[in-house]
Amino acid sequence: MYGSPEDIVYLIDPVIFALQMILLVALLLLAIFYPYIRRRLARPHNITASVIGLFAGVDDAARSVRRLREDGFGEGDVTVLSSIPYPEGAFETDTGRSHIRLLALIGGITGAILGTALVAGTSIAYPLPTGGKPIVPIPATLVITYEATVLSVMLFSLFRFLYETRLPSTSDKLYDPRIADGMVGVIVRCETAEQARRAEETVSSLGSEETRRVEGRVA
Amino acid sequence: MAHEADAYEEAPVLSDEQINRDILRPIMYTDWRFFLVVGVLGLVVLWALFAFGWQLYWGMGVNGYTQSIFWAMFIINFVFWIGLSHSGTLISAILRVTHAEWRRPITRGAEVMTVLTLSMGALFPIIHVGRNWRLYYVIFYPNERTIWPDFRSPLLWDFAAISTYLTSSLIYLYLPMIPDLALLRDKMPTRGFRKLLYTVLSLGWRGTEREWRRLRVALALMAFVIIPIAVSVHSIVSWDFAMSIVPLWHSTIFAPYFVIGAIYSGTALVVTIMVLLRWVFHLEAYLTRSHFDNLCKILLAVAIAWTYFYFAEFLTTWYGRIQSEYRVVLELTSGVYAPFFYAMILFNFVIPFGFLIFPRVRRTIPVIFVISLLINVGMYIERFLIVIPGLSRSEFPFLWANWTPTWVEISITVGTFAGFTLLYILFTKFFPVVAIWEYKEGQMLRSHREIAGTQVVTVAKAE
């Protein structure tokens, strides 16, 4: 009824197995670096300049963001950088939904299936009768299935977090190390020179300690 | 909550720059004492490696095994270290899930404790099995030897549980550390190895609103998931014993009893480490007496729970009078193991319960430091009393024997304690031991209010 262990061994050649592992690692690396690759391959937007304003206080920064939004800058055009998380709704530069929980659920289901398959599949392939127990006993299988499930939840959550935050990212993004000292940065991406001028004016007039304009497409 | 406000009343309001300076000081400056401690610990670790090499060369016979006592010091250490690993991530996760504000200066130090103790624990099955050059036999991959791991074996469950917990704890340690790594990247004055290290590890974190929101969601989710993982690990370690028919091991209560014991020893180690961090790095403004008061309340509750489980386990065996089991009970209470048994009761129940019920003691840091150390001495004895007596007085009297550790076992054991301390010190040298952004966030959320003419500290809820 079962294939003999020898059959399975010759079916799964070590070289093929090694290739499968390499493919798996490559897929994992692809999953991690996918956002970066996607950005690299994406067609450039029409951004011609970016403006960054550094604020000493978070209230001024929040006011500045609201004014920019009133001036017609979209949600994706304004980014706030800070060294601590501010309460939800403080800036509203990112109102999109996170799918980390959904991916965690998918990860859990995937892990459960893979865990069960690993135990049941390989126990059938390498049958080892012991102590009158079935070859694939449910209680023992549940233990490994449980561990595989929770491990997958953690890994899927991590990968989804990296995907949604576009991390790891390269250093060609607008940033200022003074944000680490508590300053709040407001970045505005502009499509025209006129927009950049208006953004500079708004940010400066609302208490920015320093306003910089960077020409070209910077994330 | 009253105790949260207490913790804040004692902690002064600090500026962001002050917090950066205080917590990054151990990373930015090094003095001769660091090198001295690292050097001494490194030598102890080297000696342990020599002892392990000795065991590799001469075989497992260099250990104090007998025909019946084939699980000894390495398994005691394994259970002890895995138990210690329990509370770090667990405490951090529970406090995060319950939004306990006083968690902020504690979580990082506790999480790294879990990762390092777990790493130490995971070494012992490898050391214990012997013939380590054939270790690859236990890795499951299609091979021409037609061998495959037996998933019905609790030892394999161990492997699955420990590797899952270690991976999860690493993720749970690393994820909230990314913003602090970005801070270090920005603060490193010169280009060099460290700057490169922090640049790579911080993954290009800038602190956008998107990043913070996602971090919050991911951490909340992972905190929920990691609690059952932690519980599963020590349950499975207990099943290594409970699935056998050795007297006193074959017990249905072993899983929850092991979990409680693990939480107990782990929490005691968190207290020990927090006291040392406060003292060595002058973190008095961050780790206040109220933090220790809260940790000691957890310790007290767990001490009572541990005693209850131990008594329940003991009573059943004592009442049942099954000869093979009762023989071991007699050895514990009035035989060769009696001094250890009563020392365990003293260190694990009498002293903690007798002292920690007093609020004044819970806030006296030198006293709770000593108590936390005694608890772990007691817990090590408890691990010894779980592993050895059942084997030394098995069903066959002709196999009865006593066990004495050899210099090899002792050296390897001491080496792992030194290794843990060394790795912890190195961690504090490269990474902030208090979650800087979390602490700053806590500062932002606190404020003073006047209620009925009295100034009180209030803490806003961010989510």
Side-chain angles (χ1 to χ4, degrees), chain B residues 76-91 109-121 165 233-234 258-270 272-273 372-373 375-377 379-380 383 416-417 420:
Chain B
I76 297 170
N77 292 336
F78 167 66
V79 180
F80 181 70
W81 280 113
I82 300 293
L84 286 178
S85 75
H86 219 80
S87 272
T89 301
L90 191 70
I91 281 187
E111 287 157 13
V112 69
M113 181 199 95
T114 288
V115 171
L116 297 181
T117 48
L118 205 53
S119 307
M120 290 298 127
Y165 193 37
V233 174
H234 227 60
F258 263 55
V259 170
I260 280 292
I263 294 172
Y264 193 28
S265 61
T267 309
L269 186 62
V270 170
T272 309
I273 287 174
S372 68
L373 285 175
I375 290 172
N376 266 320
V377 172
M379 286 309 294
Y380 194 88
R383 306 322 193 186
T416 50
F417 281 92
F420 167 75

Side-chain angles (χ1 to χ4, degrees), chain B residues 40 76 98 111 137 156 175 178 185 198-199 201-202 209 224 232 271 285 320 356-357 394 408 451:
Chain B
V40 171
I76 297 170
T98 55
E111 287 157 13
Y137 272 34
L156 198 65
L175 213 58
I178 294 173
R185 172 199 64 199
Y198 299 133
T199 304
L201 289 179
S202 62
E209 198 179 12
F224 268 107
S232 79
V271 172
L356 294 180
I357 52 170
S394 61
V408 175
I451 298 176

